[in-house]
RNA sequence: GCCGGUGUAGCUCAAUGGUAGAGCAAUUCACUCGUAAUGAAUAGGUUGAGAGUUCGAUUCUCUUCACCGGCUCCA
């Protein structure tokens, strides 16, 4: 038996050939035992229980690193399966991977699991963890594995193995339970220091709705209890930000049984809505866009021509007018194209930028509706740019700049891009797609922008660049999109007259920046937790007279501020100041103006931000300047 | 659409096989108040809808609608 060298960073250790890294840790780094879950060499993960046959130059994977925690969670899913099998013996197991923030395992069981079962399962899991049972990896050949799982009645595993092409498959034993698994895993169950089962949900076998619905149990695991607690707090925090809850509290919008998926905008919500549109319109006018509005219901024939009938009919609503078939628009482009076609266009007009705040309807399955994030009716901040092929890149660049300016103004500093290419079910020739995809990719490269590639995720008529923004608690939302379309111009046979006096086919860029106004407002609500920046806040200022004697003066100030176009209200209730402040904060008013004898005699207003305790006394003739500065700073 | 859960006053939630209560909000009255809740009184509900079991259903059963958590899909 020879010795081999294990190099870890600066340090070197000796190990008996055939021994494993776990023994190295036990001997040399006893304190680190549970915090190292695996090792890594050149990007390959090495489990701590793997026998080492030659010299290695490795890094440790710590249980708190992203990679380490995934291993931990994956192993926890096995432990959960072990526990479930022990308690509910006839249960068959499907798959149990780690996810971004935890893990799940899909089960097929005669028992309907419910959250009360979690206690039992968790207790059983804890027993397994306390026993520190090793994960033992074995390889057997495929046929043998199929026989084994057939004998055990684990038909889902059999189906999985049948699709594996390797001769050998790996199994992991963990006490009473053996699972087909590629790994990697932690050496033994004792590594799990903090875990919790979270929820139960149905999930189709292999994600296909034609297959059987299995029961999925979600859970999460962390390297220590503190991290688990922090995660649970974060979930609570996300709940606090839920736009459905805040929207109700702030009277922004409502959903009623009479119109599932169709938002009703209340007065406060309309202020937000219109403020956003005013801002948007001003910016687009400055950028050379012209605005149009096209009808919501159009003849069904149009949708055959556009390709929507073939590619989007499942999501469309249909109706009948004078015995003719009509459809409710799910997108704005076909209507916009009719306007373009109405008249002759010269190359001198290009690029022609036509914007439309278009109200679209899409039939979404009942189970997917979710507040403003997933609705059946929404307004897109759409625009179609008609241009020559040569102008595409320049125009795409201009749109990207505009997108970045707008996100920045709304307080979103972290934006990432994705490029999606031709989907399976698409219209247009190979050449057209190639040109379009190339144009988008090159533009991104020329701007030196980092982007993620999503092959096959494009729209049916063209490839697209999507914009994702990150909110205050790190969640990512897709909003903007730029789609390059050579097809629709062809289908609608649109043209412009070139310098040569001949007809030419323009290219069409579809683009939206906020995406859906409804959804964007939902994102804003969650990002700001309802505490909007001054320029957006439905109620910007609330005046709080200390007693009845100050109400008259408050009205004077209210008029003054209203004349300067600020949104201001007076709290005329007979509460004490403390009570009024509390109410204003609950209502998420942006600024408070306090009015008492002091202010009355000096002709001033004491201003404070609702959630800060700093007061500032502002003279009446300086009020407009004071608030305008806040408004323009967009904070 | 599928799986599971939920549905009681404007909001948050109690309760029971014998037709429902609290806090906040609302209304009225008193207090005239300086930075997160002044006190009192009043009013408010076909218990999501429909059917069934029962002497009697908000409670049990079924159907249906909506919502919540997922799956699939997506702006």
């Amino acid at each position: 038996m020879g010795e081999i060298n294990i190099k870890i960073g600066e340090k070197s250790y000796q190990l008996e050939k055939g021994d494993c890294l776990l023994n190295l840790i036990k001997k040399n780094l006893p304190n680190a035992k549970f915090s190292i879950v695996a090792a890594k060499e050149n990007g390959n993960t090495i489990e701590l229980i793997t026998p080492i046959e030659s010299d290695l130059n490795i890094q440790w994977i710590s249980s708190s690193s992203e990679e380490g925690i995934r291993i931990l969670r994956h192993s926890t899913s096995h432990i959960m399966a072990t526990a479930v099998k022990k308690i509910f013996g006839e249960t068959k197991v499907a798959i149990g991977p780690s996810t971004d923030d935890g893990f799940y395992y899909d089960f097929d069981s005669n028992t309907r699991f419910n959250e009360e079962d979690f206690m039992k399962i968790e207790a059983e899991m804890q027993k397994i963890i306390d026993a520190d049972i090793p994960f033992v990896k074995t390889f057997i050949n495929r046929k043998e594995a199929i026989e084994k799982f057939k004998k055990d009645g684990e038909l889902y595993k059999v189906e999985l193995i049948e699709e594996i092409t390797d001769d050998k498959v790996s199994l992991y034993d963990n006490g009473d339970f053996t699972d087909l698994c590629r790994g990697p895993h932690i050496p033994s169950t004792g590594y799990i220091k903090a875990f919790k089962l979270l929820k139960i949900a149905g999930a189709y076998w292999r994600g296909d709705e034609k297959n059987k619905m299995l029961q999925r149990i979600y859970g999460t695991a962390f390297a220590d209890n503190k991290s688990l607690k922090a995660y649970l707090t974060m979930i609570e925090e996300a709940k606090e930000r839920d736009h459905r809850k805040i929207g109700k509290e702030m009277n922004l919008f409502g959903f009623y049984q009479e119109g599932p998926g169709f938002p009703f905008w209340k007065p406060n919500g309309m202020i937000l809505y219109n403020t956003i549109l005013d801002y948007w319109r001003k910016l687009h006018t400055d950028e050379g866009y012209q605005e149009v509005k096209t009808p919501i219901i159009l003849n069904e024939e149009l949708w055959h021509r556009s390709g929507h009938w073939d590619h989007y009919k499942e999501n469309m609503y249909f109706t009948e007018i004078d015995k003719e078939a009509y459809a409710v628009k799910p997108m704005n482009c076909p209507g916009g194209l009719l306007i373009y076609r109405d008249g002759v266009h010269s190359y001198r007009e290009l690029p022609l930028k036509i914007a439309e705040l278009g109200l679209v309807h899409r039939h979404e399955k009942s189970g997917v509706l979710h507040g403003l994030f997933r609705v059946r009716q929404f307004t897109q901040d759409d625009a179609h740019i008609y241009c020559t092929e040569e102008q595409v890149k320049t125009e795409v660049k201009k749109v990207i700049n505009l997108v970045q300016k707008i996100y920045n103004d709304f307080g979103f500093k972290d934006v990432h891009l994705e490029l999606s290419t031709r989907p399976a079910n698409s219209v247009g020739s190979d050449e057209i797609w190639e040109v379009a995809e190339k144009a988008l990719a090159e533009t991104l490269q020329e701007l030196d922008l980092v982007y993620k590639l999503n092959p096959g995720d494009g729209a049916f008529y063209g490839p697209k660049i999507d914009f994702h923004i990150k909110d205050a608690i790190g969640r990512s939302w897709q909003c903007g999109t730029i789609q390059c379309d050579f097809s629709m111009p062809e289908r609608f046979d649109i043209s412009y007259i070139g310098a040569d006096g001949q007809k030419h086919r323009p290219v069409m860029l579809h683009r939206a920046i906020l995406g859906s106004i409804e959804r964007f407002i939902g994102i804003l609500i969650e990002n700001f937790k309802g505490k909007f920046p001054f320029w957006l806040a439905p109620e910007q200022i609330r005046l709080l007279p200390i007693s009845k004697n100050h109400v008259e003066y408050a009205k004077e100030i209210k008029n003054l501020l209203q004349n300067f176009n600020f949104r201001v209200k007076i709290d005329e209730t007979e509460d004490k100041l403390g009570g009024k402040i509390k109410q204003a904060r609950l209502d998420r008013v942006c600024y408070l103006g306090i009015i008492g004898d002091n202010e009355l005699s000096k002709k001033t207003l004491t201003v404070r931000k609702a959630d800060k305790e700093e007061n500032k006394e502002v003279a009446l003739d300086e009020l407009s300047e004071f608030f305008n500065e806040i408004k323009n700073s967009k904070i």
Side-chain angles (χ1 to χ4, degrees):
Chain A
M1 277 294 221
E3 288 220 321
I4 51 175
N5 274 310
I6 309 291
K7 203 165 167 243
I8 303 153
E10 298 295 294
K11 289 188 179 155
S12 247
Y13 299 94
Q14 270 69 50
L15 196 65
E16 288 279 320
K17 196 168 162 102
D19 203 352
C20 64
L21 294 171
L22 184 60
N23 286 332
L24 185 154
I25 295 169
K26 279 184 183 161
K27 202 160 101 196
N28 301 292
L29 307 155
N31 294 334
K33 188 185 163 195
F34 285 122
S35 59
I36 299 170
V37 294
K40 204 171 174 174
E41 188 193 40
N42 293 332
N44 296 323
T45 305
I46 303 167
E47 292 180 293
L48 300 184
I49 54 166
T50 306
I52 307 296
E53 303 296 344
S54 57
D55 289 357
L56 285 179
N57 185 351
I58 58 166
Q59 294 103 44
W60 294 129
I61 297 177
S62 118
S63 62
S64 51
S65 71
E66 199 163 315
E67 254 184 298
I69 216 159
R70 285 200 94 100
I71 296 172
L72 211 65
R73 287 168 176 168
H74 183 188
S75 300
T76 314
S77 88
H78 278 239
I79 296 170
M80 178 171 76
T82 309
V84 168
K85 292 274 297 178
K86 187 151 193 181
I87 303 170
F88 308 98
E90 43 69 39
T91 302
K92 295 179 189 58
V93 296
I95 53 164
S98 67
T99 61
D100 286 345
D101 45 15
F103 62 86
Y104 65 81
Y105 214 115
D106 286 347
F107 300 103
D108 182 2
S109 176
N110 296 333
T111 316
R112 288 246 166 283
F113 302 142
N114 58 48
E115 297 199 2
E116 273 113 67
D117 295 326
F118 283 7
M119 298 268 281
K120 267 189 279 176
I121 300 170
E122 282 177 340
E124 192 57 44
M125 288 171 72
Q126 194 57 55
K127 266 194 230 164
I128 296 167
I129 291 165
D130 291 342
D132 199 17
I133 300 165
F135 278 90
V136 180
K137 185 176 191 175
T138 52
F139 286 91
I140 62 173
N141 71 49
R142 228 178 115 256
K143 281 223 174 91
E144 245 179 278
I146 293 175
E147 286 312 309
K148 177 196 153 31
F149 284 111
K150 262 193 187 151
K151 199 176 96 227
D152 295 349
E154 294 287 4
L155 301 177
Y156 297 97
K157 294 293 172 191
V158 173
E159 193 178 325
L160 290 173
I161 302 169
E162 276 170 349
E163 284 173 22
I164 295 176
T165 48
D166 300 345
D167 290 340
K168 289 204 176 276
V169 297
S170 58
L171 303 180
Y172 281 83
D173 283 323
N174 175 227
D176 304 332
F177 177 56
T178 302
D179 202 355
L180 167 79
C181 186
R182 197 179 289 127
H185 280 285
I186 51 180
S188 60
T189 58
Y191 279 67
I192 309 300
K193 295 302 175 196
F195 75 96
K196 188 169 169 56
L197 302 187
L198 295 172
K199 55 197 168 197
I200 182 158
Y204 300 110
W205 167 236
R206 317 202 106 180
D208 188 333
E209 57 187 325
K210 289 187 201 79
N211 289 339
K212 183 165 184 186
M213 176 71 68
L214 307 174
Q215 300 189 73
R216 175 172 298 179
I217 300 179
Y218 283 91
T220 192
F222 286 88
D224 55 77
N225 240 314
K226 212 173 126 204
S227 309
L228 173 64
K229 275 218 173 101
Y231 174 75
L232 296 175
T233 310
M234 205 279 285
I235 293 179
E236 288 306 309
E237 165 74 4
K239 260 190 213 157
E240 284 301 302
R241 287 173 183 264
D242 192 317
H243 72 281
R244 293 166 299 187
K245 173 175 174 277
I246 294 176
K248 193 178 258 183
E249 286 167 1
M250 292 180 75
N251 267 312
L252 301 174
F253 57 87
F255 286 94
Y256 311 108
Q257 259 183 246
E258 290 80 354
F262 299 107
F264 286 69
W265 288 95
K266 300 188 189 179
N268 282 344
M270 263 335 268
I271 293 172
L272 251 180
Y273 205 104
N274 285 329
T275 304
I276 292 168
L277 294 195
D278 289 348
Y279 160 84
W280 188 94
R281 284 199 164 103
K282 164 90 174 68
L283 219 54
H284 280 74
T285 307
D286 293 351
E287 284 287 316
Y289 286 83
Q290 296 170 279
E291 190 178 342
V292 298
K293 191 176 253 330
T294 67
I296 288 169
I297 301 175
L298 291 165
N299 196 295
E300 192 184 290
E301 184 278 327
L302 175 73
W303 304 100
H304 286 276
R305 220 188 307 165
S306 69
H308 284 85
W309 177 267
D310 290 332
H311 296 90
Y312 211 75
K313 142 168 117 261
E314 309 307 317
N315 284 298
M316 290 172 68
Y317 296 108
F318 296 95
T319 184
E320 202 185 276
I321 300 176
D322 293 342
K323 293 187 183 151
E324 279 268 324
Y326 277 75
V328 183
K329 69 172 176 184
M331 294 186 199
N332 304 302
C333 27
L337 278 155
L338 296 183
I339 293 183
Y340 181 92
R341 258 193 6 176
D342 178 17
V344 179
H345 295 280
S346 152
Y347 72 96
R348 293 174 193 274
E349 289 175 59
L350 305 186
L352 185 62
K353 305 179 186 186
I354 306 293
E356 173 170 14
L357 290 157
L359 181 63
V360 296
H361 291 73
R362 296 182 182 177
H363 178 70
E364 299 292 349
K365 291 179 180 175
S366 59
V368 306
L369 302 176
H370 184 100
L372 294 175
F373 288 162
R374 199 68 184 277
V375 292
R376 286 177 170 157
Q377 180 202 62
F378 60 98
T379 302
Q380 284 183 309
D381 64 324
D382 211 347
H384 300 105
I385 299 169
Y386 303 90
C387 62
T388 66
E389 211 170 300
E390 294 71 44
Q391 290 169 334
V392 167
K393 284 197 205 170
T394 315
E395 288 311 308
V396 170
K397 282 179 194 168
K398 281 190 201 158
V399 174
I400 293 176
N401 281 336
L402 184 60
V403 167
Q404 283 170 336
K405 151 125 185 85
I406 290 178
Y407 290 167
N408 191 60
D409 279 350
F410 281 105
F412 297 108
K413 312 290 181 198
D414 193 342
V415 180
H416 88 262
L417 289 79
E418 298 189 2
L419 176 64
S420 299
T421 56
R422 186 174 191 174
N425 190 9
S426 62
V427 297
S429 68
D430 293 354
E431 295 76 41
I432 279 175
W433 274 90
E434 202 176 306
V435 174
E437 285 177 2
K438 203 169 146 226
L440 293 185
E442 283 179 6
T443 309
L444 291 173
Q445 282 147 21
E446 283 167 27
L447 288 174
D448 239 346
L449 290 166
V450 181
Y451 64 92
K452 188 184 149 207
L453 188 67
N454 291 327
D457 261 355
F460 73 81
Y461 47 76
K464 58 176 185 170
I465 297 171
D466 287 327
F467 297 84
H468 298 246
I469 55 180
K470 214 167 226 184
D471 77 4
I473 54 172
R475 297 172 301 179
S476 190
W477 307 94
Q478 198 214 308
C479 294
T481 180
I482 306 176
Q483 303 171 352
C484 185
D485 180 3
F486 287 79
S487 287
M488 229 42 99
E490 214 168 282
R491 289 179 161 249
F492 281 79
D493 192 26
I494 59 169
S495 60
Y496 66 90
I497 309 297
D500 55 3
Q502 303 297 306
K503 274 191 180 179
H504 297 273
R505 184 87 68 213
V507 181
M508 191 177 176
L509 298 175
H510 308 242
R511 46 115 285 189
I513 294 178
L514 307 177
S516 139
I517 308 295
E518 285 74 3
R519 184 176 134 93
F520 191 73
I521 290 177
I523 295 167
L524 286 177
I525 293 170
E526 303 217 352
N527 181 59
F528 293 118
K529 216 173 169 178
K531 289 191 256 175
F532 296 105
F534 187 83
W535 73 288
L536 287 170
E539 189 177 345
Q540 295 173 312
I541 307 154
R542 185 175 294 178
L543 300 174
L544 312 179
I546 285 181
S547 80
K548 257 185 198 157
N549 306 331
H550 312 111
V551 171
E552 269 315 301
Y553 180 52
K555 284 183 178 163
E556 207 179 296
I557 299 179
K558 183 182 174 215
N559 281 335
L560 184 74
L561 289 168
Q562 259 172 354
N563 286 337
F564 289 120
N565 289 319
F566 295 114
R567 300 184 283 270
V568 54
K569 284 184 182 161
I570 303 178
D571 185 340
E572 286 192 64
T573 64
E574 290 173 19
D575 286 337
K576 288 183 174 176
L577 183 60
K580 290 180 183 182
I581 290 174
K582 173 159 180 127
Q583 193 53 51
R585 294 187 60 155
L586 288 175
D587 293 342
R588 297 180 174 86
V589 176
C590 208
Y591 275 83
L592 308 181
I594 291 152
I595 297 161
D597 288 339
N598 175 40
E599 288 77 11
L600 184 57
S601 64
K602 284 156 68 185
K603 288 281 161 195
T604 58
L605 180 68
T606 296
V607 179
R608 61 170 270 185
K609 200 144 196 279
D611 54 4
K612 290 214 174 87
E613 282 182 51
E614 297 154 30
N615 293 309
K616 188 168 168 28
E617 207 173 330
V618 183
L620 289 199
D621 53 8
E622 287 167 9
L623 271 182
S624 132
E625 196 189 339
F626 179 84
F627 283 120
N628 266 320
E629 204 171 298
I630 295 165
K631 181 177 166 185
N632 294 331
S633 73
K634 295 212 157 39
I635 52 170

